[in-house]
Amino acid sequence: MSSKKEKIQEMLEMQRKFIALEHEHGVDQVDYFTPKPGSELDGYRQQYRDLAMEVVEDAHKEVGSSR
């Protein structure tokens, strides 16, 4: 399993790619929220959300707290 730092780095790379895509082609709300299967944004939101939640859970474990 990836460390919290690796997950954050992956999220940052995802953001860099998204920003590059947005600058190059623009990103329509429809494409962001309901991307076509196989498009560059297909699964992006879910993957980013899952990573973010794993980082939150890792942080809670580090400090011994719960949500």
Side-chain angles (χ1 to χ4, degrees):
M1 175 169 266
S2 299
S3 71
K4 184 175 76 171
K5 183 176 180 177
E6 290 169 327
K7 292 172 188 172
I8 292 170
Q9 289 302 317
E10 185 175 350
M11 291 170 65
L12 290 171
E13 183 59 29
M14 289 177 72
Q15 289 176 353
R16 282 185 204 96
K17 289 179 181 178
F18 179 86
I19 291 167
L21 176 68
E22 183 178 34
H23 286 157
E24 188 174 331
H25 302 287
V27 175
D28 188 88
Q29 290 181 21
V30 171
D31 295 330
Y32 180 76
F33 288 103
T34 56
K36 293 181 177 116
S39 75
E40 292 180 77
L41 294 175
D42 188 21
Y44 176 86
R45 287 179 44 242
Q46 294 82 2
Q47 182 182 1
Y48 193 89
R49 180 204 58 224
D50 292 346
L51 280 170
M53 291 309 300
E54 288 176 24
V55 169
V56 168
E57 289 172 11
D58 292 346
H60 280 293
K61 288 177 187 173
E62 283 179 11
V63 297
S65 65
S66 61
R67 298 188 286 166

